[in-house]
């Protein structure tokens, strides 16, 4: 797959994805939405609007009520936990997921205990929290799908927490790049090493050293504000097993259970992030 970066947004240049037509917002590439029955999809997105999400935009503030649910079409969003006076990434959301988990769990308006901030810009289908909660009881397949996705999120957060405690920075960086590649469906990641150091919770110099090592091994290419994955399979070998564990759980919970009616791909394809 060929990707082009325009205005800090990674867009697919081909039309070969699993996009489906959705009334109100046009086509969707969100993998959760692609799994829904057409009647429930239409009900869910009846009041949705397609919005741009921009780097460093806060979609949900810490300790404030959730105002919207976002189904990510393109882009990456960090869900971050408060640690002392700073925020540390707990998990990452791209086109495989959505933002608004507390509403699904409680089925009522909630104050969020995490901050959701855009790391790589793109687009999302946005629904107001009030309208989402109003329609959710009438959507049994949607509730089941989103709760299964939340099981993946819980596993991902705990697995990556353990990863951060025991694995090397080089392995953790490789894992983060693979997860970002999956969520963005793109080998070109418009992100700075400064941001990566914040997300991984290490010094900028430590990230730079790991990036240089991966470049020497010819698995990535780094330039100003951009990291390009040149050999995804080699990067997977460098990474710890945490990425593959989470990926397999996503397949088990989402694709295997729902039959991939939307043609959701195995996005671990070697060499390029093709659908």
């Amino acid at each position: 797959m060929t990707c082009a970066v325009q205005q800090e947004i990674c867009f697919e240049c081909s039309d070969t994805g699993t996009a489906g037509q959705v009334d109100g917002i046009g086509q969707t590439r969100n993998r959760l939405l692609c799994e829904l029955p057409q009647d429930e999809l239409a009900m869910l997105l009846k009041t949705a609007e397609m919005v741009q999400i921009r780097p460093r935009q806060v979609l949900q503030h810490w300790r404030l009520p959730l105002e919207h649910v976002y189904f990510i079409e393109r882009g990456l969003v960090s869900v971050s936990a408060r640690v002392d006076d700073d925020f540390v990434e707990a998990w990452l959301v791209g086109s495989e997921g959505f933002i608004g988990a507390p509403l699904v769990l409680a089925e009522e308006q909630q104050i969020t205990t995490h901050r959701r901030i855009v790391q790589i810009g793109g687009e999302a289908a946005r629904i107001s929290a009030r309208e989402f909660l109003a329609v959710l009881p009438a959507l049994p397949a949607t509730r089941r799908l989103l709760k299964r996705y939340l099981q993946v999120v819980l596993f991902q957060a705990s697995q990556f927490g353990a990863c951060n405690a025991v694995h090397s920075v080089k392995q953790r960086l490789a894992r983060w790049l693979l997860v970002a590649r999956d969520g963005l469906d793109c080998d070109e990641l418009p992100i700075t090493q400064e941001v990566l150091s914040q997300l991984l919770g290490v010094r900028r110099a430590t990230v730079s050293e790991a990036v240089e090592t991966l470049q020497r091994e010819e698995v990535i290419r780094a330039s100003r504000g951009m990291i390009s994955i040149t050999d995804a399979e080699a990067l997977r070998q460098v990474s710890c097993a945490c990425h593959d564990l989470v990926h397999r759980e996503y397949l088990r919970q989402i694709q295997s259970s729902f039959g991939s009616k939307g043609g959701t791909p195995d996005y671990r394809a070697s060499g390029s992030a093709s659908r």
Side-chain angles (χ1 to χ4, degrees):
M1 180 199 65
T2 304
C3 293
V5 177
Q6 301 173 357
Q7 299 179 344
E8 299 183 286
I9 299 174
C10 183
F11 289 103
E12 294 183 341
C13 295
S14 69
D15 220 19
T16 59
T18 59
Q21 190 69 26
V22 180
D23 291 344
I25 67 168
Q27 290 188 326
T28 180
R29 294 182 181 274
N30 181 276
R31 295 175 198 145
L32 295 179
L33 296 182
C34 285
E35 296 291 341
L36 292 177
Q38 193 62 38
D39 58 341
E40 290 202 12
L41 182 63
M43 289 179 64
L44 176 64
L45 297 182
K46 186 176 180 180
T47 61
E49 58 178 341
M50 192 67 73
V51 297
Q52 282 199 338
I53 55 175
R54 301 186 181 280
R56 310 311 298 167
Q57 176 185 353
V58 179
L59 300 183
Q60 293 173 352
H61 289 272
W62 178 71
R63 300 299 298 169
L64 287 178
L66 295 168
E67 296 181 351
H68 296 94
V69 168
Y70 296 83
F71 288 87
I72 307 302
E73 294 286 329
R74 296 183 179 91
L76 289 176
V77 178
S78 286
V79 182
S80 303
R82 178 89 175 201
V83 180
D84 298 327
D85 295 326
D86 204 354
F87 288 91
V88 176
E89 183 178 271
W91 68 89
L92 194 63
V93 182
S95 63
E96 84 296 336
F98 84 111
I99 300 294
L103 297 179
V104 176
L105 292 173
E107 298 187 1
E108 62 184 10
Q109 184 58 269
Q110 290 289 301
I111 292 176
T112 180
T113 54
H114 292 85
R115 184 181 72 171
R116 280 82 171 172
I117 185 168
V118 179
Q119 298 298 345
I120 297 178
E123 294 176 314
R126 184 177 69 183
I127 309 169
S128 77
R130 178 180 59 81
E131 291 168 334
F132 178 76
L133 289 172
V135 74
L136 195 60
L139 307 175
T142 301
R143 293 199 309 273
R144 177 169 168 258
L145 175 66
L146 295 183
K147 286 180 179 179
R148 281 187 171 273
Y149 171 70
L150 294 183
Q151 292 185 59
V152 178
V153 168
L154 290 173
F155 177 68
Q156 180 182 18
S158 62
Q159 187 67 39
F160 289 175
C163 175
N164 290 339
V166 301
H167 291 144
S168 69
V169 172
K170 178 183 174 183
Q171 289 175 305
R172 289 162 53 197
L173 173 61
R175 181 259 296 167
W176 193 96
L177 294 174
L178 288 169
V179 173
R181 175 181 182 266
D182 291 346
L184 202 59
D185 283 331
C186 191
D187 289 318
E188 308 292 325
L189 308 178
I191 193 162
T192 67
Q193 293 182 36
E194 179 65 33
V195 170
L196 281 173
S197 70
Q198 296 169 8
L199 296 176
L200 295 175
V202 298
R203 295 184 305 114
R204 168 71 164 76
T206 304
V207 168
S208 295
E209 181 179 347
V211 167
E212 290 172 4
T213 300
L214 293 179
Q215 283 198 102
R216 287 196 301 270
E217 295 173 358
E218 299 183 342
V219 296
I220 68 170
R221 182 175 61 253
S223 56
R224 185 175 179 83
M226 178 70 66
I227 292 183
S228 303
I229 298 174
T230 56
D231 190 334
E233 187 56 41
L235 185 63
R236 189 169 292 112
Q237 295 301 317
V238 171
S239 174
C240 53
C242 296
H243 165 263
D244 283 358
L245 287 172
V246 172
H247 169 76
R248 286 197 295 269
E249 183 65 9
Y250 186 93
L251 295 182
R252 187 179 74 86
Q253 292 286 358
I254 307 300
Q255 292 187 218
S256 298
S257 299
F258 280 76
S260 293
K261 79 167 189 68
T264 307
D266 182 347
Y267 47 90
R268 280 184 57 199
S270 302
S272 66
S274 60
R275 285 182 175 266

